PDB file of all heavy atoms in Angstrom:
ATOM      1  N   ALA O   1      10.351 -34.247 -40.362  1.00 95.00           N
ATOM      2  CA  ALA O   1      11.487 -33.629 -41.027  1.00 95.00           C
ATOM      3  C   ALA O   1      12.448 -34.780 -41.319  1.00 95.00           C
ATOM      4  O   ALA O   1      13.128 -35.257 -40.417  1.00 95.00           O
ATOM      5  CB  ALA O   1      12.139 -32.581 -40.139  1.00 95.00           C
ATOM      6  N   GLN O   2      12.417 -35.275 -42.557  1.00 95.00           N
ATOM      7  CA  GLN O   2      13.179 -36.467 -42.929  1.00 95.00           C
ATOM      8  C   GLN O   2      12.749 -37.633 -42.033  1.00 95.00           C
ATOM      9  O   GLN O   2      11.589 -37.964 -42.015  1.00 95.00           O
ATOM     10  CB  GLN O   2      14.682 -36.207 -42.874  1.00 95.00           C
ATOM     11  CG  GLN O   2      15.156 -35.130 -43.850  1.00 95.00           C
ATOM     12  CD  GLN O   2      14.992 -35.524 -45.307  1.00 95.00           C
ATOM     13  OE1 GLN O   2      15.128 -36.669 -45.679  1.00 95.00           O
ATOM     14  NE2 GLN O   2      14.682 -34.547 -46.149  1.00 95.00           N
ATOM     15  N   ASN O   3      13.691 -38.205 -41.276  1.00 96.00           N
ATOM     16  CA  ASN O   3      13.317 -39.330 -40.420  1.00 96.00           C
ATOM     17  C   ASN O   3      13.100 -38.914 -38.960  1.00 96.00           C
ATOM     18  O   ASN O   3      13.196 -39.723 -38.055  1.00 96.00           O
ATOM     19  CB  ASN O   3      14.374 -40.446 -40.490  1.00 96.00           C
ATOM     20  CG  ASN O   3      15.673 -40.034 -39.857  1.00 96.00           C
ATOM     21  OD1 ASN O   3      16.144 -38.913 -40.042  1.00 96.00           O
ATOM     22  ND2 ASN O   3      16.266 -40.932 -39.094  1.00 96.00           N
ATOM     23  N   ILE O   4      12.790 -37.647 -38.737  1.00 97.00           N
ATOM     24  CA  ILE O   4      12.476 -37.143 -37.399  1.00 97.00           C
ATOM     25  C   ILE O   4      10.980 -36.855 -37.342  1.00 97.00           C
ATOM     26  O   ILE O   4      10.443 -36.097 -38.158  1.00 97.00           O
ATOM     27  CB  ILE O   4      13.253 -35.852 -37.064  1.00 97.00           C
ATOM     28  CG1 ILE O   4      14.760 -36.059 -37.193  1.00 97.00           C
ATOM     29  CG2 ILE O   4      12.862 -35.334 -35.678  1.00 97.00           C
ATOM     30  CD1 ILE O   4      15.369 -36.982 -36.168  1.00 97.00           C
ATOM     31  N   LEU O   5      10.316 -37.479 -36.381  1.00 96.00           N
ATOM     32  CA  LEU O   5       8.899 -37.256 -36.144  1.00 96.00           C
ATOM     33  C   LEU O   5       8.795 -36.164 -35.088  1.00 96.00           C
ATOM     34  O   LEU O   5       9.465 -36.253 -34.047  1.00 96.00           O
ATOM     35  CB  LEU O   5       8.272 -38.556 -35.632  1.00 96.00           C
ATOM     36  CG  LEU O   5       6.789 -38.586 -35.372  1.00 96.00           C
ATOM     37  CD1 LEU O   5       6.034 -38.499 -36.697  1.00 96.00           C
ATOM     38  CD2 LEU O   5       6.424 -39.885 -34.675  1.00 96.00           C
ATOM     39  N   VAL O   6       8.014 -35.113 -35.343  1.00 97.00           N
ATOM     40  CA  VAL O   6       7.854 -34.010 -34.401  1.00 97.00           C
ATOM     41  C   VAL O   6       6.388 -33.956 -33.988  1.00 97.00           C
ATOM     42  O   VAL O   6       5.508 -33.748 -34.824  1.00 97.00           O
ATOM     43  CB  VAL O   6       8.287 -32.658 -35.018  1.00 97.00           C
ATOM     44  CG1 VAL O   6       8.100 -31.526 -34.013  1.00 97.00           C
ATOM     45  CG2 VAL O   6       9.730 -32.723 -35.492  1.00 97.00           C
ATOM     46  N   ILE O   7       6.145 -34.171 -32.702  1.00 97.00           N
ATOM     47  CA  ILE O   7       4.783 -34.158 -32.171  1.00 97.00           C
ATOM     48  C   ILE O   7       4.655 -32.965 -31.240  1.00 97.00           C
ATOM     49  O   ILE O   7       5.446 -32.800 -30.313  1.00 97.00           O
ATOM     50  CB  ILE O   7       4.476 -35.463 -31.401  1.00 97.00           C
ATOM     51  CG1 ILE O   7       4.642 -36.666 -32.333  1.00 97.00           C
ATOM     52  CG2 ILE O   7       3.076 -35.416 -30.802  1.00 97.00           C
ATOM     53  CD1 ILE O   7       4.625 -38.000 -31.617  1.00 97.00           C
ATOM     54  N   LYS O   8       3.659 -32.124 -31.494  1.00 97.00           N
ATOM     55  CA  LYS O   8       3.356 -30.987 -30.616  1.00 97.00           C
ATOM     56  C   LYS O   8       2.250 -31.432 -29.661  1.00 97.00           C
ATOM     57  O   LYS O   8       1.309 -32.111 -30.061  1.00 97.00           O
ATOM     58  CB  LYS O   8       2.874 -29.771 -31.423  1.00 97.00           C
ATOM     59  CG  LYS O   8       3.950 -29.143 -32.284  1.00 97.00           C
ATOM     60  CD  LYS O   8       4.963 -28.438 -31.418  1.00 97.00           C
ATOM     61  CE  LYS O   8       5.908 -27.606 -32.246  1.00 97.00           C
ATOM     62  NZ  LYS O   8       6.830 -26.873 -31.395  1.00 97.00           N
ATOM     63  N   THR O   9       2.385 -31.038 -28.393  1.00 96.00           N
ATOM     64  CA  THR O   9       1.407 -31.413 -27.381  1.00 96.00           C
ATOM     65  C   THR O   9       0.891 -30.181 -26.648  1.00 96.00           C
ATOM     66  O   THR O   9       1.430 -29.086 -26.805  1.00 96.00           O
ATOM     67  CB  THR O   9       2.025 -32.359 -26.322  1.00 96.00           C
ATOM     68  OG1 THR O   9       2.960 -31.620 -25.527  1.00 96.00           O
ATOM     69  CG2 THR O   9       2.700 -33.567 -26.962  1.00 96.00           C
ATOM     70  N   VAL O  10      -0.106 -30.411 -25.825  1.00 94.00           N
ATOM     71  CA  VAL O  10      -0.575 -29.393 -24.904  1.00 94.00           C
ATOM     72  C   VAL O  10       0.603 -29.066 -23.983  1.00 94.00           C
ATOM     73  O   VAL O  10       1.381 -29.964 -23.636  1.00 94.00           O
ATOM     74  CB  VAL O  10      -1.773 -29.944 -24.088  1.00 94.00           C
ATOM     75  CG1 VAL O  10      -2.201 -28.972 -23.004  1.00 94.00           C
ATOM     76  CG2 VAL O  10      -2.927 -30.301 -25.010  1.00 94.00           C
ATOM     77  N   SER O  11       0.747 -27.823 -23.590  1.00 94.00           N
ATOM     78  CA  SER O  11       1.850 -27.407 -22.734  1.00 94.00           C
ATOM     79  C   SER O  11       1.926 -28.271 -21.475  1.00 94.00           C
ATOM     80  O   SER O  11       0.925 -28.516 -20.813  1.00 94.00           O
ATOM     81  CB  SER O  11       1.670 -25.934 -22.338  1.00 94.00           C
ATOM     82  OG  SER O  11       2.766 -25.518 -21.563  1.00 94.00           O
ATOM     83  N   GLY O  12       3.132 -28.774 -21.187  1.00 92.00           N
ATOM     84  CA  GLY O  12       3.350 -29.594 -19.999  1.00 92.00           C
ATOM     85  C   GLY O  12       3.059 -31.072 -20.177  1.00 92.00           C
ATOM     86  O   GLY O  12       3.255 -31.860 -19.258  1.00 92.00           O
ATOM     87  N   MET O  13       2.592 -31.484 -21.350  1.00 92.00           N
ATOM     88  CA  MET O  13       2.189 -32.884 -21.550  1.00 92.00           C
ATOM     89  C   MET O  13       3.172 -33.701 -22.388  1.00 92.00           C
ATOM     90  O   MET O  13       2.969 -34.894 -22.578  1.00 92.00           O
ATOM     91  CB  MET O  13       0.812 -32.935 -22.221  1.00 92.00           C
ATOM     92  CG  MET O  13      -0.345 -32.570 -21.332  1.00 92.00           C
ATOM     93  SD  MET O  13      -0.714 -33.845 -20.121  1.00 92.00           S
ATOM     94  CE  MET O  13      -1.394 -35.124 -21.167  1.00 92.00           C
ATOM     95  N   ALA O  14       4.232 -33.095 -22.890  1.00 94.00           N
ATOM     96  CA  ALA O  14       5.124 -33.817 -23.809  1.00 94.00           C
ATOM     97  C   ALA O  14       5.720 -35.078 -23.182  1.00 94.00           C
ATOM     98  O   ALA O  14       5.756 -36.126 -23.822  1.00 94.00           O
ATOM     99  CB  ALA O  14       6.222 -32.892 -24.330  1.00 94.00           C
ATOM    100  N   MET O  15       6.179 -35.002 -21.934  1.00 93.00           N
ATOM    101  CA  MET O  15       6.796 -36.183 -21.325  1.00 93.00           C
ATOM    102  C   MET O  15       5.793 -37.313 -21.145  1.00 93.00           C
ATOM    103  O   MET O  15       6.112 -38.474 -21.390  1.00 93.00           O
ATOM    104  CB  MET O  15       7.438 -35.829 -19.990  1.00 93.00           C
ATOM    105  CG  MET O  15       8.764 -35.151 -20.158  1.00 93.00           C
ATOM    106  SD  MET O  15       9.635 -35.141 -18.595  1.00 93.00           S
ATOM    107  CE  MET O  15      10.753 -33.804 -18.913  1.00 93.00           C
ATOM    108  N   ALA O  16       4.577 -36.975 -20.729  1.00 92.00           N
ATOM    109  CA  ALA O  16       3.548 -38.002 -20.541  1.00 92.00           C
ATOM    110  C   ALA O  16       3.148 -38.615 -21.882  1.00 92.00           C
ATOM    111  O   ALA O  16       2.992 -39.840 -21.994  1.00 92.00           O
ATOM    112  CB  ALA O  16       2.325 -37.409 -19.849  1.00 92.00           C
ATOM    113  N   VAL O  17       3.011 -37.784 -22.911  1.00 94.00           N
ATOM    114  CA  VAL O  17       2.653 -38.290 -24.237  1.00 94.00           C
ATOM    115  C   VAL O  17       3.796 -39.157 -24.780  1.00 94.00           C
ATOM    116  O   VAL O  17       3.560 -40.218 -25.362  1.00 94.00           O
ATOM    117  CB  VAL O  17       2.302 -37.133 -25.205  1.00 94.00           C
ATOM    118  CG1 VAL O  17       2.146 -37.634 -26.625  1.00 94.00           C
ATOM    119  CG2 VAL O  17       1.009 -36.448 -24.746  1.00 94.00           C
ATOM    120  N   ALA O  18       5.046 -38.731 -24.566  1.00 94.00           N
ATOM    121  CA  ALA O  18       6.198 -39.533 -25.008  1.00 94.00           C
ATOM    122  C   ALA O  18       6.235 -40.874 -24.277  1.00 94.00           C
ATOM    123  O   ALA O  18       6.509 -41.914 -24.889  1.00 94.00           O
ATOM    124  CB  ALA O  18       7.501 -38.764 -24.796  1.00 94.00           C
ATOM    125  N   ALA O  19       5.930 -40.863 -22.972  1.00 91.00           N
ATOM    126  CA  ALA O  19       5.891 -42.119 -22.203  1.00 91.00           C
ATOM    127  C   ALA O  19       4.793 -43.034 -22.748  1.00 91.00           C
ATOM    128  O   ALA O  19       4.996 -44.247 -22.885  1.00 91.00           O
ATOM    129  CB  ALA O  19       5.660 -41.830 -20.720  1.00 91.00           C
ATOM    130  N   ALA O  20       3.644 -42.456 -23.091  1.00 91.00           N
ATOM    131  CA  ALA O  20       2.547 -43.240 -23.669  1.00 91.00           C
ATOM    132  C   ALA O  20       2.969 -43.804 -25.026  1.00 91.00           C
ATOM    133  O   ALA O  20       2.717 -44.971 -25.337  1.00 91.00           O
ATOM    134  CB  ALA O  20       1.290 -42.387 -23.797  1.00 91.00           C
ATOM    135  N   LEU O  21       3.622 -42.975 -25.830  1.00 92.00           N
ATOM    136  CA  LEU O  21       4.094 -43.408 -27.153  1.00 92.00           C
ATOM    137  C   LEU O  21       5.110 -44.551 -27.003  1.00 92.00           C
ATOM    138  O   LEU O  21       5.037 -45.543 -27.737  1.00 92.00           O
ATOM    139  CB  LEU O  21       4.725 -42.211 -27.875  1.00 92.00           C
ATOM    140  CG  LEU O  21       4.958 -42.303 -29.367  1.00 92.00           C
ATOM    141  CD1 LEU O  21       3.653 -42.514 -30.117  1.00 92.00           C
ATOM    142  CD2 LEU O  21       5.641 -41.039 -29.866  1.00 92.00           C
ATOM    143  N   ASP O  22       6.015 -44.415 -26.041  1.00 89.00           N
ATOM    144  CA  ASP O  22       6.978 -45.492 -25.768  1.00 89.00           C
ATOM    145  C   ASP O  22       6.264 -46.784 -25.383  1.00 89.00           C
ATOM    146  O   ASP O  22       6.643 -47.868 -25.817  1.00 89.00           O
ATOM    147  CB  ASP O  22       7.948 -45.099 -24.645  1.00 89.00           C
ATOM    148  CG  ASP O  22       8.993 -44.080 -25.079  1.00 89.00           C
ATOM    149  OD1 ASP O  22       9.158 -43.873 -26.305  1.00 89.00           O
ATOM    150  OD2 ASP O  22       9.635 -43.502 -24.186  1.00 89.00           O
ATOM    151  N   ALA O  23       5.225 -46.657 -24.569  1.00 86.00           N
ATOM    152  CA  ALA O  23       4.476 -47.839 -24.117  1.00 86.00           C
ATOM    153  C   ALA O  23       3.746 -48.529 -25.274  1.00 86.00           C
ATOM    154  O   ALA O  23       3.506 -49.728 -25.230  1.00 86.00           O
ATOM    155  CB  ALA O  23       3.477 -47.442 -23.031  1.00 86.00           C
ATOM    156  N   MET O  24       3.424 -47.755 -26.315  1.00 86.00           N
ATOM    157  CA  MET O  24       2.757 -48.335 -27.489  1.00 86.00           C
ATOM    158  C   MET O  24       3.730 -49.128 -28.359  1.00 86.00           C
ATOM    159  O   MET O  24       3.319 -49.849 -29.257  1.00 86.00           O
ATOM    160  CB  MET O  24       2.046 -47.248 -28.289  1.00 86.00           C
ATOM    161  CG  MET O  24       0.813 -46.708 -27.582  1.00 86.00           C
ATOM    162  SD  MET O  24      -0.104 -45.567 -28.625  1.00 86.00           S
ATOM    163  CE  MET O  24       0.230 -44.029 -27.792  1.00 86.00           C
ATOM    164  N   GLU O  25       5.015 -48.984 -28.082  1.00 86.00           N
ATOM    165  CA  GLU O  25       6.073 -49.775 -28.700  1.00 86.00           C
ATOM    166  C   GLU O  25       6.052 -49.811 -30.229  1.00 86.00           C
ATOM    167  O   GLU O  25       6.033 -50.872 -30.839  1.00 86.00           O
ATOM    168  CB  GLU O  25       6.044 -51.213 -28.146  1.00 86.00           C
ATOM    169  CG  GLU O  25       6.321 -51.279 -26.675  1.00 86.00           C
ATOM    170  CD  GLU O  25       6.253 -52.686 -26.112  1.00 86.00           C
ATOM    171  OE1 GLU O  25       5.807 -53.619 -26.815  1.00 86.00           O
ATOM    172  OE2 GLU O  25       6.645 -52.851 -24.948  1.00 86.00           O
ATOM    173  N   TYR O  26       6.062 -48.644 -30.841  1.00 87.00           N
ATOM    174  CA  TYR O  26       6.190 -48.577 -32.299  1.00 87.00           C
ATOM    175  C   TYR O  26       7.623 -48.970 -32.646  1.00 87.00           C
ATOM    176  O   TYR O  26       8.570 -48.279 -32.265  1.00 87.00           O
ATOM    177  CB  TYR O  26       5.895 -47.166 -32.812  1.00 87.00           C
ATOM    178  CG  TYR O  26       4.432 -46.805 -32.751  1.00 87.00           C
ATOM    179  CD1 TYR O  26       3.947 -45.917 -31.804  1.00 87.00           C
ATOM    180  CD2 TYR O  26       3.533 -47.358 -33.671  1.00 87.00           C
ATOM    181  CE1 TYR O  26       2.600 -45.581 -31.754  1.00 87.00           C
ATOM    182  CE2 TYR O  26       2.192 -47.033 -33.632  1.00 87.00           C
ATOM    183  CZ  TYR O  26       1.731 -46.151 -32.668  1.00 87.00           C
ATOM    184  OH  TYR O  26       0.400 -45.834 -32.632  1.00 87.00           O
ATOM    185  N   GLU O  27       7.794 -50.069 -33.360  1.00 87.00           N
ATOM    186  CA  GLU O  27       9.156 -50.544 -33.645  1.00 87.00           C
ATOM    187  C   GLU O  27       9.911 -49.615 -34.585  1.00 87.00           C
ATOM    188  O   GLU O  27      11.140 -49.664 -34.647  1.00 87.00           O
ATOM    189  CB  GLU O  27       9.134 -51.965 -34.187  1.00 87.00           C
ATOM    190  CG  GLU O  27       8.324 -52.152 -35.442  1.00 87.00           C
ATOM    191  CD  GLU O  27       8.207 -53.624 -35.840  1.00 87.00           C
ATOM    192  OE1 GLU O  27       8.008 -54.457 -34.952  1.00 87.00           O
ATOM    193  OE2 GLU O  27       8.326 -53.898 -37.033  1.00 87.00           O
ATOM    194  N   GLU O  28       9.210 -48.740 -35.293  1.00 90.00           N
ATOM    195  CA  GLU O  28       9.878 -47.781 -36.188  1.00 90.00           C
ATOM    196  C   GLU O  28      10.631 -46.702 -35.408  1.00 90.00           C
ATOM    197  O   GLU O  28      11.566 -46.102 -35.907  1.00 90.00           O
ATOM    198  CB  GLU O  28       8.859 -47.066 -37.099  1.00 90.00           C
ATOM    199  CG  GLU O  28       8.020 -47.968 -37.964  1.00 90.00           C
ATOM    200  CD  GLU O  28       6.699 -48.387 -37.322  1.00 90.00           C
ATOM    201  OE1 GLU O  28       6.561 -48.319 -36.084  1.00 90.00           O
ATOM    202  OE2 GLU O  28       5.792 -48.776 -38.062  1.00 90.00           O
ATOM    203  N   ILE O  29      10.195 -46.436 -34.163  1.00 93.00           N
ATOM    204  CA  ILE O  29      10.805 -45.373 -33.356  1.00 93.00           C
ATOM    205  C   ILE O  29      12.038 -45.922 -32.634  1.00 93.00           C
ATOM    206  O   ILE O  29      11.956 -46.867 -31.868  1.00 93.00           O
ATOM    207  CB  ILE O  29       9.795 -44.793 -32.345  1.00 93.00           C
ATOM    208  CG1 ILE O  29       8.612 -44.149 -33.087  1.00 93.00           C
ATOM    209  CG2 ILE O  29      10.483 -43.770 -31.434  1.00 93.00           C
ATOM    210  CD1 ILE O  29       7.514 -43.636 -32.173  1.00 93.00           C
ATOM    211  N   VAL O  30      13.170 -45.285 -32.896  1.00 92.00           N
ATOM    212  CA  VAL O  30      14.429 -45.689 -32.270  1.00 92.00           C
ATOM    213  C   VAL O  30      14.546 -45.083 -30.876  1.00 92.00           C
ATOM    214  O   VAL O  30      15.016 -45.724 -29.945  1.00 92.00           O
ATOM    215  CB  VAL O  30      15.636 -45.261 -33.148  1.00 92.00           C
ATOM    216  CG1 VAL O  30      16.938 -45.651 -32.488  1.00 92.00           C
ATOM    217  CG2 VAL O  30      15.525 -45.851 -34.539  1.00 92.00           C
ATOM    218  N   GLY O  31      14.091 -43.833 -30.730  1.00 92.00           N
ATOM    219  CA  GLY O  31      14.150 -43.153 -29.442  1.00 92.00           C
ATOM    220  C   GLY O  31      13.414 -41.833 -29.504  1.00 92.00           C
ATOM    221  O   GLY O  31      13.145 -41.322 -30.590  1.00 92.00           O
ATOM    222  N   SER O  32      13.072 -41.295 -28.332  1.00 94.00           N
ATOM    223  CA  SER O  32      12.311 -40.051 -28.242  1.00 94.00           C
ATOM    224  C   SER O  32      12.936 -39.109 -27.229  1.00 94.00           C
ATOM    225  O   SER O  32      13.523 -39.554 -26.248  1.00 94.00           O
ATOM    226  CB  SER O  32      10.873 -40.330 -27.787  1.00 94.00           C
ATOM    227  OG  SER O  32      10.247 -41.266 -28.610  1.00 94.00           O
ATOM    228  N   ILE O  33      12.754 -37.813 -27.479  1.00 95.00           N
ATOM    229  CA  ILE O  33      13.159 -36.768 -26.540  1.00 95.00           C
ATOM    230  C   ILE O  33      11.955 -35.857 -26.371  1.00 95.00           C
ATOM    231  O   ILE O  33      11.347 -35.437 -27.362  1.00 95.00           O
ATOM    232  CB  ILE O  33      14.351 -35.951 -27.077  1.00 95.00           C
ATOM    233  CG1 ILE O  33      15.569 -36.847 -27.282  1.00 95.00           C
ATOM    234  CG2 ILE O  33      14.675 -34.801 -26.121  1.00 95.00           C
ATOM    235  CD1 ILE O  33      16.723 -36.154 -27.971  1.00 95.00           C
ATOM    236  N   ALA O  34      11.600 -35.557 -25.113  1.00 95.00           N
ATOM    237  CA  ALA O  34      10.432 -34.712 -24.847  1.00 95.00           C
ATOM    238  C   ALA O  34      10.843 -33.465 -24.080  1.00 95.00           C
ATOM    239  O   ALA O  34      11.649 -33.535 -23.154  1.00 95.00           O
ATOM    240  CB  ALA O  34       9.398 -35.492 -24.048  1.00 95.00           C
ATOM    241  N   GLY O  35      10.265 -32.343 -24.487  1.00 94.00           N
ATOM    242  CA  GLY O  35      10.434 -31.093 -23.750  1.00 94.00           C
ATOM    243  C   GLY O  35       9.144 -30.783 -23.032  1.00 94.00           C
ATOM    244  O   GLY O  35       8.512 -31.680 -22.466  1.00 94.00           O
ATOM    245  N   ASP O  36       8.711 -29.534 -23.072  1.00 94.00           N
ATOM    246  CA  ASP O  36       7.464 -29.130 -22.419  1.00 94.00           C
ATOM    247  C   ASP O  36       6.257 -29.426 -23.299  1.00 94.00           C
ATOM    248  O   ASP O  36       5.270 -29.979 -22.834  1.00 94.00           O
ATOM    249  CB  ASP O  36       7.510 -27.631 -22.095  1.00 94.00           C
ATOM    250  CG  ASP O  36       6.228 -27.162 -21.427  1.00 94.00           C
ATOM    251  OD1 ASP O  36       5.929 -27.670 -20.327  1.00 94.00           O
ATOM    252  OD2 ASP O  36       5.511 -26.324 -22.016  1.00 94.00           O
ATOM    253  N   ASP O  37       6.356 -29.050 -24.590  1.00 96.00           N
ATOM    254  CA  ASP O  37       5.208 -29.243 -25.488  1.00 96.00           C
ATOM    255  C   ASP O  37       5.618 -29.827 -26.844  1.00 96.00           C
ATOM    256  O   ASP O  37       4.842 -29.789 -27.791  1.00 96.00           O
ATOM    257  CB  ASP O  37       4.456 -27.926 -25.690  1.00 96.00           C
ATOM    258  CG  ASP O  37       5.288 -26.877 -26.417  1.00 96.00           C
ATOM    259  OD1 ASP O  37       6.489 -27.117 -26.668  1.00 96.00           O
ATOM    260  OD2 ASP O  37       4.730 -25.819 -26.742  1.00 96.00           O
ATOM    261  N   THR O  38       6.816 -30.382 -26.921  1.00 97.00           N
ATOM    262  CA  THR O  38       7.296 -30.951 -28.180  1.00 97.00           C
ATOM    263  C   THR O  38       8.036 -32.260 -27.914  1.00 97.00           C
ATOM    264  O   THR O  38       8.806 -32.360 -26.964  1.00 97.00           O
ATOM    265  CB  THR O  38       8.256 -29.975 -28.894  1.00 97.00           C
ATOM    266  OG1 THR O  38       7.588 -28.721 -29.073  1.00 97.00           O
ATOM    267  CG2 THR O  38       8.682 -30.514 -30.253  1.00 97.00           C
ATOM    268  N   ILE O  39       7.771 -33.238 -28.787  1.00 97.00           N
ATOM    269  CA  ILE O  39       8.466 -34.519 -28.732  1.00 97.00           C
ATOM    270  C   ILE O  39       9.162 -34.704 -30.069  1.00 97.00           C
ATOM    271  O   ILE O  39       8.552 -34.484 -31.117  1.00 97.00           O
ATOM    272  CB  ILE O  39       7.480 -35.691 -28.523  1.00 97.00           C
ATOM    273  CG1 ILE O  39       6.644 -35.483 -27.266  1.00 97.00           C
ATOM    274  CG2 ILE O  39       8.236 -37.026 -28.467  1.00 97.00           C
ATOM    275  CD1 ILE O  39       5.422 -36.360 -27.205  1.00 97.00           C
ATOM    276  N   MET O  40      10.417 -35.110 -30.036  1.00 97.00           N
ATOM    277  CA  MET O  40      11.136 -35.454 -31.261  1.00 97.00           C
ATOM    278  C   MET O  40      11.479 -36.924 -31.190  1.00 97.00           C
ATOM    279  O   MET O  40      12.082 -37.370 -30.212  1.00 97.00           O
ATOM    280  CB  MET O  40      12.386 -34.600 -31.418  1.00 97.00           C
ATOM    281  CG  MET O  40      12.063 -33.130 -31.626  1.00 97.00           C
ATOM    282  SD  MET O  40      13.522 -32.118 -31.854  1.00 97.00           S
ATOM    283  CE  MET O  40      14.055 -32.689 -33.459  1.00 97.00           C
ATOM    284  N   CYS O  41      11.081 -37.678 -32.210  1.00 97.00           N
ATOM    285  CA  CYS O  41      11.356 -39.110 -32.264  1.00 97.00           C
ATOM    286  C   CYS O  41      12.259 -39.401 -33.451  1.00 97.00           C
ATOM    287  O   CYS O  41      11.951 -38.998 -34.573  1.00 97.00           O
ATOM    288  CB  CYS O  41      10.065 -39.911 -32.438  1.00 97.00           C
ATOM    289  SG  CYS O  41       8.827 -39.638 -31.166  1.00 97.00           S
ATOM    290  N   ALA O  42      13.346 -40.107 -33.192  1.00 96.00           N
ATOM    291  CA  ALA O  42      14.205 -40.583 -34.280  1.00 96.00           C
ATOM    292  C   ALA O  42      13.552 -41.856 -34.814  1.00 96.00           C
ATOM    293  O   ALA O  42      13.279 -42.788 -34.059  1.00 96.00           O
ATOM    294  CB  ALA O  42      15.603 -40.875 -33.765  1.00 96.00           C
TER     295      ALA O  42
END
């Protein structure tokens, strides 16, 4: 949605997937917020 990346995950996995995404160090991503099954990346 514009410059917001929205990733849907298996229930309960959003934080782990966001941590993995952070570890991959995509320089385009400014920051991420994870809930239960959704990650939003600026």
Side-chain angles (χ1 to χ4, degrees):
Q2 298 294 326
N3 68 318
I4 303 292
L5 183 69
V6 180
I7 301 169
K8 291 289 190 177
T9 70
V10 174
S11 183
M13 287 287 289
M15 282 194 201
V17 171
L21 196 60
D22 286 345
M24 289 186 250
E25 297 178 350
Y26 287 107
E27 58 187 42
E28 302 92 340
I29 298 176
V30 179
S32 305
I33 299 173
D36 179 62
D37 65 354
T38 305
I39 304 164
M40 294 181 69
C41 303

